[in-house]
Amino acid sequence: MKRKVTKAIFPVAGMGTRFLPATKSVPKEIMTLVDRPLIQYAIDEARAAGIKEFIFVTSRGKGALEDYFDHAPQLEQELRKKGKTELLDIVKSTNMESGAIAYIRQHKALGLGHAVWCARRLIADEPFAVILPDDVIAADKPCLQQMVEAYAETGGNMVAAMEVAPESTSAYGVLDVADDMGALVKVRGMVEKPPVDKAPSNLAVIGRYILSPDVLCNLNKIKSGAGGEIQLTDAIAAEIAQNRGVYGYRFRGQRFDCGSKSGFLQATVAFGLAREDLRDDLSKYLRDIVHMDQAAE
Ligand code: UTP
């Protein structure tokens, strides 16, 4: 019987060097997309997919992240007193149930695979999700929910996949496809950041996974992969070698790479335009600057 996925790991121990100097003191995951920190988008997506236990793999300097999930009784009281019920509801919607969150330290940034492995004792022998909060996905049905529904049919292991330009494959984990069934693909191999001429396809893995606990055993055995880091991709690929299913899932939605400056700015514009209270002002501003640009040419 396939078990339900109720645990998710959020690896947030990276240093976020691409956002220095901001990330000297602000964890990347607390940076704000419109008016919510990146991590809130990830939590909301996980909740929609039925996740009940939220495991954060953190590191030194991520205190603001832990504070963010504390309840704020004083703030709530103040908003209540002032009759700001709308804001109060927004604040309350971010509250997490006591005991639903666990924090584990990754003492050294040895890679995504290592970060996931750090949470092994909390996962034990259940399937689990991994969400990278840098990958923000705008979708009618949240991406992880789409995957959980597909996983109920396949079991095994599942990674979110999307087509990228062939020249960009060297920035991703890339799938070697055995059987393309449309939204689902059966995978026969995976390579992390292949040179462009060695990429087996242009189907790239992005930051959503549903994994079997066997992947944690594979991580036990892996010393290091591409770039000297312990790669999650290698531990998933090892599942194929052991004849256990690995599937890619072409999700419906738009993914923004908020780990990069350009991706973050694009997400800010897209999420701003999606908000009724901001759309008119923002789109007018965008139209104006495009006209100014064109006039200057
Ligand atoms: P990135 O490759 O984006 O690294 O990690 P980073 O440190 O966050 O950012 P840059 O490249 O220095 O700007 C992808 C995800 O894996 C986590 C990160 O926190 C991020 O969510 N990660 C990475 C870890 O938790 N531990 C690691 O050792 C490496």
Side-chain angles (χ1 to χ4, degrees), residues 164-180:
V164 297
E167 61 276 17
S168 309
T169 44
S170 58
Y172 295 91
V174 178
L175 300 182
D176 189 356
V177 176
D179 190 8
D180 195 330

Side-chain angles (χ1 to χ4, degrees), residues 72 86 98 114 150 160 166 226 260 284:
E86 226 171 279
S98 294
H114 182 259
S260 78
K284 180 180 177 315

Side-chain angles (χ1 to χ4, degrees), residues 10 12-13 25-27 29-30 37 39 54-72 94-96 101-106:
F10 301 81
V12 292
S25 68
V26 182
E29 302 72 27
I30 286 293
I39 196 67
F54 304 79
I55 303 165
F56 290 88
V57 182
T58 68
S59 59
R60 192 177 294 274
K62 300 278 178 172
L65 192 69
E66 299 191 19
D67 290 346
Y68 176 77
F69 288 113
D70 271 348
H71 288 209
T94 65
N95 286 350
M96 302 290 285
I101 301 190
Y103 300 97
I104 295 276
R105 280 274 178 131
Q106 184 189 27

